[in-house]
Amino acid sequence: MPLVVFVVGAPGAGKSTVARHLAERLGCAEFLSGDVLRRTAEQDDEVGRDVADRLSRDETMPVPLYCRVVRREVGPADKGVVFDGFPRTLEQCLAIPTVLDAAGVPGADVLGLGLLVPATVSIDRISRRGERAEDTAHLARTRLSTHVRRSTDIATAFATRWPYVELDATDGIAQVVDAALAALSARVDRVAERR
Ligand SMILES: Nc1ncnc2c1ncn2[C@@H]1O[C@H](COP(=O)(O)OP(=O)(O)O)[C@@H](O)[C@H]1O
């Protein structure tokens, strides 16, 4: 059964960095929401224009649109997928089964990985990243407060449905990735035992 991991956390918590390393170590597909959506926004078709419009207004993607992008862009998912930056809202969390369908792995085992960092670390990493137009300190604070407002509800909704692990993500990348792999393998063993 493929394993689908959803990496969530504050902006700058290290979601895409960790997701990329995890996908490599697990030998599975990755779906880095921010990267894929920015790439999609450059395409001159209906989906691309809709995504571009919402990105320019810093809007969360509605589930049907996100699923259309997943259907188009996710790689072969038979060995699983690591998603980052999804779910961002309670509605998106409840729609995870629809996202699994769109990724072509309807019955996959699901695991959530929450990366925890203090607000100061989040703001600091985003300002350092600085390569994207949206990486201004003001926008970072706005996004961080949106994240803080929503994260408890999302974590609760996730954890009542699927295994969900939270990790301290203030350490270096290698340590966070190792801790994530250890947490995931403990959960995978337990999922396997239940079968
Ligand atoms: N554990 C870490 N320690 C130090 N810097 C990190 C760590 N994880 C990510 N970073 C750096 O912080 C910035 C934001 O990481 P990113 O993965 O883009 O975060 P997110 O996807 O959560 O917004 C990047 O410059 C990245 O290289």
Side-chain angles (χ1 to χ4, degrees), residues 15-20 23 30-39 66 82-85:
K15 298 180 293 293
S16 34
T17 308
V18 169
R20 199 174 289 125
E30 64 181 28
F31 190 92
L32 307 179
S33 300
D35 288 1
V36 177
L37 290 169
R38 280 188 293 275
R39 231 174 33 234
Y66 188 83
V82 182
F83 281 86
D84 95 316

Side-chain angles (χ1 to χ4, degrees), residues 5 44 58 67 72 74 111 114-115 125 139 176 179 187 189:
V5 180
D44 189 20
D58 207 28
C67 286
R72 270 170 35 156
V74 79
L111 288 167
L115 302 183
R125 284 190 192 160
L139 195 51
V176 178
R187 294 291 169 149
D189 289 347

